[in-house]
Amino acid sequence: MGSPDRPRDLLPQLKLDELLDELQSRIDAVRGTRDRVHSLLGAVLAVGRDLNLEQALRSIVEAAATLVDAEYAALGVIGPDGRTLSAFHTVGVSDAQIAEIGPFPEGHGILGELIRHPEPLRLEKISQHPASYGFPARHPPMNSFLGVPIRVRDQVFGNLYLTEKRGGVEFDEEDESVLSTLAFAAGVAIDNARLYEDSRLRERWLRANADITHSLMSGSDRAVALNLIAERAREISGSALAAVAMPLAGSGLLNVEIAVGVDAEAHRGLVLPLDRTLMGLAFSAAAPVASDDVTRDKRVSPDPPRFQGLGPAVAIPIGTGDDGSRGVVLLCRETGRPVYSGKETEMLRGFAAQAAIAMELAERRQDAQRIAVLQDRDRIARDLHDLAIQRLFATGMTLQSAGRFIEHPEASERVLRAVDDLDETIKIIRSAIFGLRARETTAAEGLRARAVQVAGEAAEVLGFAPSLRMEGLLDTDVPREFADHVVAVLSEALTNVARHAHAGRADVVLTTDGREVRLKVSDNGVGIAAGGRRSGLRNMAERAEQLGGLLEISGPASGGTVLEWHVPLPPVR
C-alpha cells in the first residue's frame, strides 16, 4: 500500500482549498456589496426624510463619511456668484479645531477645482495635484481625496469632499460610484427641502398679508398698519432693520414714518430726497433697488450716518408697479450676512404689492365712510336750513307782529327779547350749517408739508439742503395757530443760520408727542457772536413765552449752535 501523503494525493487537496478560499472571498465580496448597498439605501432614505435644509445637509455629509469610511467629510454650498462657497458643513473636525484653523474655505485650491470642473475627482495625494497649495496652520494632515458634485435639477448646488479613507488605503472606483449615487439622492433631497422651505416661507408672507389686511379693514390707524408691515418684513426676511417711508404730498420727498430694529431712531422721522437714497430710487423707479453693502454704496448719502454695522440692503416699493408706488420698505441685514437673493426680493415684492392693495381697499372704505358722513351732514344742514330756521324765522315774525298789540311795557319788552334770542339762535344754526358744509383742511396745509416747504426754500440761501426729521402726529395734534408759530420760528432759525453761522450743515428735528411740540435746529457754524443782534432770537423767545413754552440756545463743545424751541399743546377735548 502506498503512503497517504504522497504528492499526487496532496495536489487535488490543494486545488480544492484554493477553490474554497476563492469561493469564500467571493461570498465575502457579495456580502460586502450587499451590506454596502443596504447602507447606501439606508443613507438615501435617511437623507430624504429631512425637510429642513440645514438638517438635510448635515445628514448628507454624515452619510457620505460613513459610506466610504472617510475620516473627514465636508459639504460646500456654492454661493450666488457661482465661484465661491457660501456655506460649509463638516464631519470629523471639532469646533475647537475649526476655531484654531480659522475661517471656512471659500473655494480655492482643490475645492475650487471641483467648482470650476463639476466632475468626480479622486486623488491618491492631495498635494500632488497642480491646484493644491497646502493647508492653513493647525489643519489636520490629509492625503487621499474624493470629491463629487451635488446637482439640484440642472444646477450645481455644491460639492461633497471626502479625505483620509480609514486604514491608510485609497478611495477606489466603488467609493466613487457609491458617493456619486448618494450625491444624486442628495440633490433630490435638497430640492425637496428647498421647495418645502419656500412653501413655508410663502405661507408666512401670506399670513403677514392677512394680518395687515385685517388691521387696515378693522379701522386701525395707518401708522399701526405701517408698523406691522415693517415688523413682519424684518422678522420673515431675517433683517436687522426695517423702515417704511411714505411720500410727502406735493414735495417730491419721502418721510420715514416707521423704523424698527437696529439703530431705528437714526432713521425714524427722516425726510429723504428721491436721489442719493435707496428708498428714493426704489420709489422713483417703482422697482426694487438692492445693495451688497449699504455703507459703501455711492448711491446712498452718508449724512446723516445711519447704517453702522449694516451691510446688505434692499428697498422694495409698496405698490403693484402699474400705478406707481405708495411708499417704500427698506430692509438691511448685519455686515457679513448674505445679500438678498432674487427669490427673496420677489417674495418681498409680492408682500409689498399685497400690502398696497390692502391699503387701497382700506382707503376706499374710509372714503366711502367719509362720503356717507358728508352726505349725512348735508342732509342735517338742509333740514336745519329748510325746516328749523324757517320755523324759527316764522315764529320770530309772529312774535314781532304780536308785539304791536301788547300794551303792557314789560310784556312787550319780553317779546322783543324773545325775538332777539330767536335771531341769535338762527345765527348759531347758520354757523353750524356752515361748519357742517366746510371742507376739511387739505394735506398741503398741514404742518409737515409747511415745514418741508420752509426747509426747501431755505436751501437756496443756505447753499445746501438742511437735514429734516419729523416725528409724531404733527398734522393732527398741533393746532393751526401753534403750527403758524412753529413755521415762523423754523423760517427765522434757518434764516439766521444762512446770514450769520457760515455753516456747511444744518439739522432740523420737529417732533410732537401730543402734549408738546418741539423744534430743534442745529448747525456746525461759528456760533452766536457776543454782543451781536438778537432781535430774531427775541422774537422766537416771545413766541414761546406767549404759548407758555421756552426757547433754549446752546453752543456745543464741537462748535456751532443748537436752538431748541418747545411749547405745550392744549389738551384735546
Side-chain angles (χ1 to χ4, degrees):
M1 295 180 61
S3 174
D5 52 355
R6 288 175 304 178
R8 68 169 179 264
D9 295 329
L10 292 173
L11 187 59
Q13 182 67 36
L14 289 173
K15 290 184 176 180
L16 180 60
D17 290 343
E18 290 176 1
L19 289 172
L20 289 174
D21 289 342
E22 184 179 352
L23 179 61
Q24 184 63 46
S25 64
R26 294 195 178 212
I27 290 173
D28 291 340
V30 170
R31 185 179 291 116
T33 302
R34 181 200 64 188
D35 293 342
R36 200 163 195 187
V37 169
H38 285 172
S39 299
L40 177 59
L41 290 173
V44 169
L45 291 174
V47 165
R49 277 196 297 265
D50 289 315
L51 288 176
N52 178 279
L53 183 57
E54 289 298 312
Q55 188 56 45
L57 298 178
R58 169 61 55 180
S59 298
I60 291 166
V61 72
E62 288 175 351
T66 301
L67 284 172
V68 298
D69 203 19
E71 187 173 351
Y72 304 108
L75 192 158
V77 180
I78 299 176
D81 60 3
R83 299 187 302 273
T84 57
L85 299 176
S86 62
F88 212 72
H89 303 265
T90 62
V91 165
V93 184
S94 66
D95 292 339
Q97 287 177 302
I98 292 172
E100 289 182 351
I101 295 169
F104 282 120
E106 297 180 354
H108 306 295
I110 292 295
L111 305 189
E113 185 69 17
L114 239 67
I115 297 175
R116 292 186 293 272
H117 307 288
E119 298 293 337
L121 178 63
R122 184 158 42 94
L123 301 172
E124 179 182 354
K125 277 188 174 294
I126 296 176
S127 59
Q128 295 176 351
H129 195 279
S132 175
Y133 53 77
F135 296 102
R138 300 181 183 276
H139 195 286
M142 296 180 181
N143 292 299
S144 57
F145 175 87
L146 175 60
V148 295
I150 298 175
R151 298 180 184 273
V152 176
R153 299 186 183 179
D154 296 329
Q155 181 183 4
V156 178
F157 174 84
N159 297 302
L160 276 171
Y161 308 108
L162 287 299
T163 62
E164 290 301 283
K165 186 173 176 69
R166 298 183 190 277
V169 297
E170 301 176 31
F171 295 105
D172 55 23
E173 291 184 4
E174 188 175 343
D175 293 326
E176 182 180 322
S177 177
V178 167
L179 201 60
S180 297
T181 303
L182 177 66
F184 178 81
V188 176
I190 290 169
D191 193 31
N192 289 338
R194 289 167 73 178
L195 290 173
Y196 177 72
E197 286 196 351
D198 285 350
S199 67
R200 292 290 301 275
L201 189 58
R202 292 182 190 280
E203 183 182 349
R204 294 181 69 188
W205 284 121
L206 288 173
R207 281 203 302 268
N209 278 127
D211 291 342
I212 293 165
T213 302
H214 180 267
S215 175
L216 285 167
M217 299 306 289
S218 61
S220 296
D221 186 76
R222 189 184 73 164
V224 175
L226 294 180
N227 190 76
L228 194 58
I229 290 173
E231 286 284 5
R232 290 289 189 273
R234 184 175 73 94
E235 173 192 348
I236 298 174
S237 66
S239 301
L241 169 73
V244 179
M246 304 299 284
L248 287 168
S251 66
L253 298 170
L254 295 175
N255 179 37
V256 181
E257 297 189 14
I258 301 293
V260 293
V262 174
D263 211 12
E265 288 295 328
H267 295 263
R268 194 176 299 125
L270 280 177
V271 177
L272 304 174
L274 297 186
D275 57 346
R276 295 179 290 109
T277 62
L278 292 184
M279 299 181 95
L281 293 171
F283 181 83
S284 298
V289 176
S291 174
D292 292 347
D293 188 350
V294 71
T295 60
R296 300 182 181 180
D297 198 318
K298 295 182 179 179
R299 297 172 296 175
V300 179
S301 171
D303 293 321
R306 57 196 185 278
F307 291 113
Q308 289 85 349
L310 300 176
V314 63
I316 307 292
I318 301 175
T320 59
D322 298 331
D323 54 354
S325 305
R326 303 178 63 84
V328 186
V329 180
L330 174 70
L331 297 168
C332 298
R333 287 176 176 155
E334 295 171 341
T335 301
R337 292 288 310 282
V339 299
Y340 293 89
S341 66
K343 183 179 294 185
E344 286 180 306
T345 302
E346 281 304 311
M347 287 189 179
L348 283 165
R349 193 172 187 179
F351 166 74
Q354 290 298 320
I357 292 172
M359 293 170 68
E360 180 79 17
L361 290 174
E363 287 178 5
R364 291 292 177 265
R365 181 183 179 187
Q366 290 174 355
D367 288 345
Q369 292 174 341
R370 192 177 295 112
I371 290 171
V373 169
L374 292 175
Q375 288 176 339
D376 200 36
R377 286 181 178 180
D378 284 342
R379 179 187 59 77
I380 293 171
R382 187 171 56 252
D383 290 347
L384 286 173
H385 183 272
D386 294 346
L387 301 176
I389 288 182
Q390 297 303 324
R391 290 176 68 92
L392 290 173
F393 187 75
T395 302
M397 293 290 291
T398 301
L399 288 174
Q400 277 185 319
S401 299
R404 293 196 293 268
F405 300 101
I406 299 175
E407 297 179 356
H408 194 283
E410 184 176 349
S412 177
E413 183 181 351
R414 288 186 178 184
V415 169
L416 292 176
R417 193 182 307 131
V419 172
D420 290 339
D421 289 343
L422 287 173
D423 287 339
E424 286 299 320
T425 302
I426 291 171
K427 290 179 182 179
I428 292 171
I429 294 176
R430 280 177 173 165
S431 178
I433 292 172
F434 178 79
L436 287 170
R437 288 176 172 173
R439 294 179 177 269
E440 296 182 356
T441 302
T442 63
E445 297 173 342
L447 179 54
R448 282 179 179 271
R450 295 174 69 189
V452 170
Q453 183 178 357
V454 170
E457 292 171 351
E460 298 180 6
V461 291
L462 286 168
F464 57 87
S467 167
L468 176 60
R469 177 183 297 173
M470 297 185 286
E471 295 182 25
L473 302 176
L474 294 167
D475 293 340
T476 305
D477 290 345
V478 182
R480 179 60 183 258
E481 58 271 20
F482 282 70
D484 292 341
H485 286 287
V486 172
V487 171
V489 171
L490 175 58
S491 178
E492 182 71 27
L494 291 176
T495 300
N496 286 346
V497 173
R499 288 178 178 174
H500 311 297
H502 304 292
R505 175 174 174 177
D507 299 308
V508 178
V509 180
L510 178 58
T511 63
T512 183
D513 57 2
R515 299 185 297 272
E516 178 186 62
V517 60
R518 179 177 289 269
L519 174 66
K520 178 180 177 182
V521 180
S522 56
D523 65 70
N524 62 350
V526 298
I528 300 177
R533 293 183 59 190
R534 295 176 177 262
S535 57
L537 296 178
R538 187 165 54 252
N539 291 337
M540 289 186 274
E542 289 175 356
R543 287 180 182 275
E545 291 169 4
Q546 179 183 342
L547 299 175
L550 190 65
L551 171 70
E552 298 175 283
I553 307 291
S554 61
S558 57
T561 304
V562 177
L563 178 150
E564 293 188 74
W565 188 92
H566 49 93
V567 297
L569 295 174
V572 179
R573 295 181 179 179

